[in-house]
């Protein structure tokens, strides 16, 4: 069965995009955001952005070794155009060799790169675009690999993975990666206030918390606010950019089977989607792609008023499911993503849009 699966991987050919490719690509990943989550947003959340898209599709989320995937393998499929086994970060499932990521290709093409997340930057989803390790829990090693790639914008949590133990961090090797970032010519901001009040005119890291950011309901800035700052800087880069934004804690709300947590994280993610769509509609050269790595919680909408004000969600698991997840696109190349496709095909199409001569 496995052999047959890899045979299929080899056979899939992605043609070069025939239109004018986008100068910029923004990938928005709602971690755990199944079609049901989008339904809940459309039915009950006031800032819902999903009706603003003209093209949509479905993604089959399996990993190389499991029907039900998780974020490391899920994000690897988008980031490399290949499926890997659950828990691996952008390495080949058999040979364990590193697989080139979209961000590494973008750097080769002199495009700017950015990451904005509400978890630690070393968490599985952002890690897959930047690092290559044998287990998603190797966050100290992932932090080191963040320094090797010349990213332009990094916003999220995860300070403790870059800070030596003697200064209150988790690094047993005593490396101070934050000093290293500053020595490498980055601006560094350790709070949202500092980032907001010092508009970055230089590449920067902004790490606000030891691990993940507070829940959306417990902070006074939105993922959309962070996204706006990232776009302000990246849009000034002459060769275009690729930006990955993750609504990381949508998944945590799903795992907790917590309706309020889930919906408030969706509302926060919506602020980022709306900010990107506003930018892209004016800019005209930006592809916006929203999707998810998997569904979390086996959630269903079981009751509520027709105006959606007292929606009721029920869950069938504390884990992930293999339900298909949605894809929404807008901008140059949008039509490439309609229909039903395997998750790694999304990655391959993005590679082709970045570099039409790229061969898998
Ligand atoms: Zn999860």
């Amino acid at each position: 069965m496995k052999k047959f699966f890899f045979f299929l991987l080899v056979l899939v050919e992605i043609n070069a995009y025939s239109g004018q490719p986008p100068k910029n690509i923004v990938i928005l990943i709602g971690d755990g955001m199944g079609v049901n989550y989008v339904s809940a947003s459309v039915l009950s959340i006031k800032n819902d952005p999903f009706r603003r898209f003209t093209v949509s599709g479905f993604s089959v989320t399996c990993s190389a070794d499991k029907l039900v995937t998780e974020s490391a393998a899920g994000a690897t499929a988008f980031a490399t155009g290949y499926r890997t086994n659950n828990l691996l970060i952008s390495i080949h499932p058999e040979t364990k060799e590193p697989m080139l990521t979209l961000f590494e290709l973008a750097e080769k093409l002199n495009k700017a790169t950015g990451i904005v997340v509400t978890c630690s930057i070393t968490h599985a989803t952002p890690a897959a675009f930047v690092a290559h390790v044998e287990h998603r829990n190797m966050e100290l090693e992932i932090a080191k690999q963040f320094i090797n790639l010349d990213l332009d914008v990094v916003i999220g949590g995860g300070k403790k993975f870059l800070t030596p133990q003697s200064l209150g961090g988790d690094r047993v090797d005593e490396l101070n990666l934050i000093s290293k970032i500053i020595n490498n010519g980055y601006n560094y901001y350790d709070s949202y206030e500092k980032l907001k009040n010092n508009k970055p005119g230089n590449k920067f890291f902004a790490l606000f918390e030891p691990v993940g950011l507070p829940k959306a309901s417990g902070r006074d800035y939105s993922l959309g606010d962070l996204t706006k700052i990232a776009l302000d800087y990246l849009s000034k880069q002459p060769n275009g950019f690729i930006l990955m934004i993750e609504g990381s804690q949508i998944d945590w709300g799903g795992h907790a089977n917590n309706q309020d947590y889930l919906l408030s994280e969706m509302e926060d993610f919506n602020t980022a989607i709306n900010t990107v769509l506003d930018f892209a509609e004016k800019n005209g050269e930006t592809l916006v792609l929203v999707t998810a790595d998997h569904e979390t919680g086996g959630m269903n909408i079981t009751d509520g008023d027709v105006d959606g004000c007292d929606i009721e969600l029920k869950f069938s698991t504390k884990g992930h499911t293999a339900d298909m997840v949605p894809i929404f696109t807008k901008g140059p190349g949008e039509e490439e993503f309609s229909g039903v496709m395997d998750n790694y095909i999304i990655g391959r199409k993005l590679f082709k849009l970045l570099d039409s001569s790229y061969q898998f």
Side-chain angles (χ1 to χ4, degrees), residues 31 71 251 255 294 296 320:
D31 199 306
S71 293
D251 173 68
H255 280 293
H294 53 74
T296 304
H320 301 166

Side-chain angles (χ1 to χ4, degrees), residues 177-281:
L177 296 180
I178 291 171
S179 299
K180 205 158 167 44
I181 286 167
I182 295 164
N183 289 339
N184 287 353
Y186 283 89
N187 289 7
Y188 175 70
Y189 306 97
D190 63 3
S191 72
Y192 173 67
E193 291 306 309
K194 287 183 194 163
L195 175 64
K196 188 183 70 170
N197 296 328
N198 297 279
K199 281 216 156 176
N202 187 32
K203 59 185 183 175
F204 67 96
F205 272 67
L207 305 178
F208 306 146
E209 299 291 335
V211 280
L213 302 189
K215 291 176 179 176
S217 57
R219 54 180 143 85
D220 57 4
Y221 56 90
S222 68
L223 187 56
D225 294 329
L226 303 179
T227 298
K228 173 91 172 51
I229 294 170
L231 287 172
D232 282 347
Y233 180 74
L234 291 170
S235 60
K236 296 189 182 91
Q237 307 313 306
N239 296 325
F241 64 86
I242 180 163
L243 170 62
M244 192 286 287
I245 300 161
E246 186 192 28
S248 318
Q249 299 188 33
I250 297 169
D251 173 68
W252 305 355
H255 280 293
N257 289 183
N258 182 327
Q259 169 167 335
D260 291 344
Y261 191 8
L262 185 161
L263 291 176
S264 59
E265 292 302 322
M266 278 301 293
E267 188 176 0
D268 188 48
F269 188 50
N270 288 352
T271 65
I273 300 173
N274 279 318
T275 300
V276 173
L277 285 173
D278 291 345
F279 167 82
E281 282 167 6

Side-chain angles (χ1 to χ4, degrees), residues 2 4 93 116 128 134 159 178 184 229 241 311 317 324 345:
K2 218 172 194 178
F4 175 67
V116 182
E134 292 198 20
K159 260 185 237 186
I178 291 171
N184 287 353
I229 294 170
F241 64 86
I311 191 169
T317 173
M324 287 199 291
I345 298 296

Side-chain angles (χ1 to χ4, degrees), residues 10-31:
V10 174
L11 268 186
V12 175
E13 276 272 338
I14 306 295
N15 295 324
Y17 178 57
S18 55
Q20 178 71 27
K23 182 180 179 189
N24 314 308
I25 297 175
V26 184
I27 307 162
L28 294 119
I29 299 174
D31 199 306

Side-chain angles (χ1 to χ4, degrees), residues 1-6 9 60-70 72-74 76-77 82-88 91-94 99 343-344:
M1 190 61 194
K2 218 172 194 178
K3 270 192 189 128
F4 175 67
F5 178 74
F6 278 106
L9 276 186
V60 179
T61 63
C62 308
S63 66
D65 67 335
K66 293 281 194 299
L67 190 76
V68 179
T69 193
E70 49 69 63
T76 294
Y82 290 96
R83 276 178 169 157
T84 194
N85 293 344
N86 278 8
L87 307 175
L88 310 189
I91 60 172
H92 191 279
E94 318 267 294
M99 301 190 290
N343 49 4
Y344 71 96

